[in-house]
Amino acid sequence: PELGRRFAERKRCADPECSMLMCRGKAMQDFKGPDCRFVNFKKGEAVYVYYKLIGKSTELWAGSVGSDFGYFPKDLLEVNHNYSNDELELPTDVSLTCW
C-alpha cells in the first residue's frame, strides 16, 4: 500500500470506537512491517483484529500482538475465532503515526 497519512478512507469495526475485538487468528508466517505503524509477528503467534480497512487498502487490517498494535496484511492471518459478526462501516482517522 501507499504509505501516506491515511491508508484508507473507511474501516469496518465491531463497535463505534473500534475498541472491541472482531476476530483472532494465527500468523501463517513471519511479518516485519516497513515502519512503526505496522505490528511485527512470528509464524504461529496469536493476532487480535480490531478493525479492517476498506476501500483503497483492503489488504490491511489493524490489530495487536502482545502489547504491540499496528497494521498487517490480512492474508498473513488464519482466522480461527470470530468475536462479532456485526460490522459497522466508519470513516478512518489519520493512520497510526510513528513517534
Side-chain angles (χ1 to χ4, degrees), residues 25-30 41-47 65 76 80:
K26 181 174 70 170
M28 296 189 310
Q29 67 185 59
D30 292 357
F41 48 74
K42 300 278 188 201
K43 182 178 179 179
E45 283 190 299
V47 181
V65 176
L76 300 183
N80 52 32

Side-chain angles (χ1 to χ4, degrees), residues 46-67:
V47 181
Y48 296 88
V49 179
Y50 287 90
Y51 61 88
K52 303 170 181 179
L53 296 182
I54 55 177
K56 62 183 177 183
S57 286
T58 59
E59 71 277 2
L60 291 179
W61 287 358
S64 64
V65 176
S67 61

Side-chain angles (χ1 to χ4, degrees), residues 22-42:
M22 295 184 78
C23 60
R24 173 188 76 222
K26 181 174 70 170
M28 296 189 310
Q29 67 185 59
D30 292 357
F31 174 71
K32 179 158 177 48
D35 62 40
C36 69
R37 295 176 291 179
F38 291 80
V39 65
N40 300 322
F41 48 74
K42 300 278 188 201

Side-chain angles (χ1 to χ4, degrees), residues 9-23 49-54 60-63 69 71 83-93:
E9 297 295 320
R10 314 278 302 155
K11 61 186 173 182
R12 288 199 175 113
C13 303
D15 67 296
E17 291 79 36
C18 298
S19 61
M20 291 177 52
L21 283 171
M22 295 184 78
C23 60
V49 179
Y50 287 90
Y51 61 88
K52 303 170 181 179
L53 296 182
I54 55 177
L60 291 179
W61 287 358
F69 185 88
Y71 296 108
Y83 292 100
S84 173
N85 290 322
D86 297 329
E87 293 185 359
L88 303 171
E89 188 172 314
L90 302 166
T92 57
D93 300 322

